[in-house]
Structure formats: structure tokens, C-alpha cells
Amino acid sequence: MTDPRAASRPVQAVVLAGGQGSRLRPYTDDRPKPMVEIPGTGTPIIGHQLSWLAEEGVTDVVVSCGHLAEVLQQWLESADLPLSVTTVVEPEPLGRGGGLKFAAARLPHPDQPWYATNGDIWTRFSLRDMADFHTERDAVATLALARPRIPWGAVRTDGFGHITDFIEAPPSTFEINAGVYVFSAGFAALLPERGDHERTTFPRLARERRLAGFPIPQGSYWRAIDTAKDLTEAAKELATAQSR
């Protein structure tokens, strides 16, 4: 039996892959950040993203390129991809919001909803569930929310100031923007031509109660690849998962 919610789920997406990745040097000296390989997989970050998007029903992706765009474009042209990919390169720096709007203009179905993801996110969770959550709340935009582990050990104390426990790398008590989004068709028109949508569009939608937050389900994998340590940790987590 066909799920009636399927008709409102996106089949198109934008991947923002233009960052310089300065904190990942020397890995990013000769390639853009999304082209850095996850150790032990032989596949760059964006390869994992495109496979995930295809598994979640996406058929068309626009990749917004920037730093060393030609390296990413060459890989996309030669790779055996599970969906259709178009690349765009900003003629000049437009900021995050302007860049998102520029890329969205190339989506094949402008009258339909779409996903977007930052190019340095490695994750697995149900985008279909996130799309249903977005529709149920009649949101214009929905952000995936994560609780990353903080990079330091933490302590617990009692009411008298005595330390009662040590906790290694506990999850954050705050949810953060996980860099994965669902947008309604009209969202692109709300983006600035230039500048940062997280300082303009998102706050306005939040005030209007049209911005939703979807908590990534507990037990789902999520990691932003920002530093060499993140690569090392991702490789360890992968090895642990494969040994189970």
C-alpha cells in the first residue's frame, strides 16, 4: 500500500560544498573539504552523502562548489553515482544564504520541497521521517538537531561541591544545528541574494513559528568533519560499528 505522505517528501537536494576547510589542512591543500576521504572507506565525504540521499528517495542533487571546484567536479563526472548531479560555482562570494539561493535556482522542480546539507556532514538517519515531521508542522524550513559529544571529560558534583563522578566526552546538553535541512518550495524566495540566512531568514521564520527542529533519533550516526581529529574519530567509530 502506498504511503500517502510520500507525495510530500522531497526528491531533490542541494549539497553546500564550497568551504575551504582550513582546519582540515593538509588534507584540503589539494582538494575541497567534501573530497576528503573517511579513513577505511576509500570514499570521500560527499560520496557517502550522495549514497545516503539516494537511499532516502532523492533523484536529483545540485552541488554548490567553491574552493578547488574542479577537483570535485572531476570526481563527480567520473564516479558511478546513484542519482543525477548538477554542479554550480558562484561567480563571486555570495555568503551562505546567497550561495544557497544561487544553488536552489538550479533545482529541477522549483515548485516542490527540497533537502539541503552541508558538505562536511557524515550521517545516517531517516530523511523521510524528517520530511514527514516538516509537513506535519506546516513549517517553511526544518533543521535537523544533534547533540554532539563535547571534546572534554566532564564532572558531576553534589550540592556541597564534592565531585561524585567523571564522565568521558558526554553528549552536549544543548541541541545544535546539524547541517541537514528540509525546505518548502517557497523557502528559496525568502533567502537573501547575498549574506547569511542564519542571521536573517531563520530568525524571521522562528519569530513567525514557521521554523521547526527535528531531533536526530537517538542511536543514529552524526558527525561534522571539521578537523583531522574528526577524521580519526570517524574511522574509530566505523571500525567499532563493523566489528559488532
Side-chain angles (χ1 to χ4, degrees):
M1 184 175 177
T2 302
D3 189 337
R5 298 174 299 178
S8 62
R9 294 170 184 161
V11 296
Q12 55 187 355
V14 169
V15 175
L16 297 172
Q20 292 194 8
S22 56
R23 291 194 293 170
L24 262 174
R25 288 176 177 161
Y27 297 100
T28 50
D29 285 344
D30 61 354
R31 69 196 66 191
K33 194 177 184 182
M35 281 300 298
V36 173
E37 291 184 1
I38 303 294
T41 70
T43 302
I45 299 168
I46 194 167
H48 293 282
Q49 289 188 323
L50 294 176
S51 294
W52 173 51
L53 290 169
E55 291 166 6
E56 292 296 323
V58 174
T59 58
D60 295 271
V61 171
V62 177
V63 178
S64 178
C65 308
H67 175 64
L68 297 173
E70 65 281 359
V71 176
L72 178 52
Q73 289 172 321
Q74 288 170 8
W75 183 83
L76 291 169
E77 289 170 3
S78 63
D80 183 16
L81 301 175
L83 35 63
S84 176
V85 175
T86 301
T87 61
V88 296
V89 181
E90 296 173 24
E92 58 182 329
L94 300 174
R96 291 192 296 176
L100 190 59
K101 184 168 191 160
F102 181 76
R106 294 293 301 275
L107 288 168
H109 310 292
D111 59 339
Q112 296 180 17
W114 46 294
Y115 297 117
T117 179
N118 295 344
D120 58 358
I121 302 299
W122 189 25
T123 187
R124 281 291 188 279
F125 65 90
S126 174
L127 282 176
R128 292 181 174 91
D129 287 350
M130 185 176 173
D132 294 343
F133 179 96
H134 171 84
T135 301
E136 289 162 4
R137 281 147 187 82
D138 196 26
V140 173
T142 297
L143 286 60
L145 305 177
R147 289 185 185 271
R149 293 191 173 276
I150 64 174
W152 308 283
V155 296
R156 277 205 180 100
T157 60
D158 62 18
F160 296 98
H162 298 119
I163 292 176
T164 60
D165 198 6
F166 292 88
I167 308 163
E168 184 65 28
S172 168
T173 56
F174 293 98
E175 293 175 311
I176 68 163
N177 179 352
V180 180
Y181 312 90
V182 182
F183 296 133
S184 296
F187 177 75
L190 304 177
L191 287 165
E193 297 290 339
R194 186 186 303 270
D196 188 349
H197 61 293
E198 294 192 12
R199 296 180 180 275
T200 55
T201 310
F202 279 175
R204 184 167 77 249
L205 290 175
R207 289 192 297 269
E208 297 169 354
R209 296 295 188 268
R210 295 194 294 164
L211 184 68
F214 174 79
I216 293 177
Q218 187 173 3
S220 299
Y221 187 78
W222 179 90
R223 179 173 285 277
I225 307 297
D226 289 321
T227 66
K229 183 178 180 182
D230 290 322
L231 282 175
T232 302
E233 293 298 318
K236 288 180 183 177
E237 290 159 354
L238 178 64
T240 299
Q242 290 176 337
S243 65
R244 288 173 181 166

